[in-house]
Amino acid sequence: EGLRVEGKEGFGKRAIERRLRFKRLPPILFFNLQRLQYCPLRDVPVKINSRFSFQDNLDLAEMMVEKLDGEELPEDPTGPPLYSLHSVIVHTGYSNMGHYVAYIKARGDDEGE
């Protein structure tokens, strides 16, 4: 689904699609979600405390670039971009102070290991 944006006069609205593609990914992948929202009334960032869920496995194959400048890319020697969740760090408190707790999966906790 594309976004609808206003064009310059005479051009009208157009549907656009915004994408992010990768040529190669690292063997270990980290995500840092900045769950803050600016409050214009108080002029401060406010922490978003709503529940955020995620899966134990992540397949980024659909995020990979197959061609670059019209040329086929060589196959990634590290294999397909498949990742397993190993740890989660959770912040409790406010946007300007609080504590961090790390939850780390013990070895052998994956199914089939």
Side-chain angles (χ1 to χ4, degrees):
E1 239 179 87
L3 299 170
R4 302 291 295 177
V5 291
E6 287 286 334
K8 291 186 178 183
E9 192 172 320
F11 290 94
K13 292 183 180 183
R14 292 180 174 239
I16 62 169
E17 188 173 311
R18 185 175 178 180
R19 294 185 195 185
L20 179 62
R21 299 280 186 198
F22 300 99
K23 186 168 97 172
R24 184 174 292 143
L25 289 167
I28 298 174
L29 188 64
F30 296 88
F31 287 101
N32 183 18
L33 304 178
Q34 295 291 327
R35 300 196 61 208
L36 300 173
Q37 185 174 10
Y38 176 71
C39 176
L41 297 175
R42 295 178 17 209
D43 191 31
V44 295
V46 177
K47 185 177 171 201
I48 300 170
N49 285 311
S50 61
R51 179 175 170 80
F52 184 85
S53 61
F54 42 85
Q55 299 175 351
D56 287 341
N57 295 301
L58 180 62
D59 181 357
L60 293 178
E62 66 183 42
M63 302 295 291
M64 302 304 290
V65 166
E66 296 169 4
K67 292 183 179 182
L68 189 61
D69 296 329
E71 292 186 29
E72 294 272 338
L73 291 173
E75 191 171 317
D76 190 343
T78 60
L82 303 174
Y83 295 93
S84 296
L85 180 67
H86 290 281
S87 63
V88 175
I89 299 174
V90 178
H91 178 266
T92 58
Y94 302 98
S95 62
N96 60 344
M97 64 180 177
H99 298 280
Y100 289 92
V101 177
Y103 297 94
I104 303 169
K105 186 184 293 187
R107 287 190 179 185
D109 278 357
D110 290 335
E111 290 181 26
E113 281 190 29

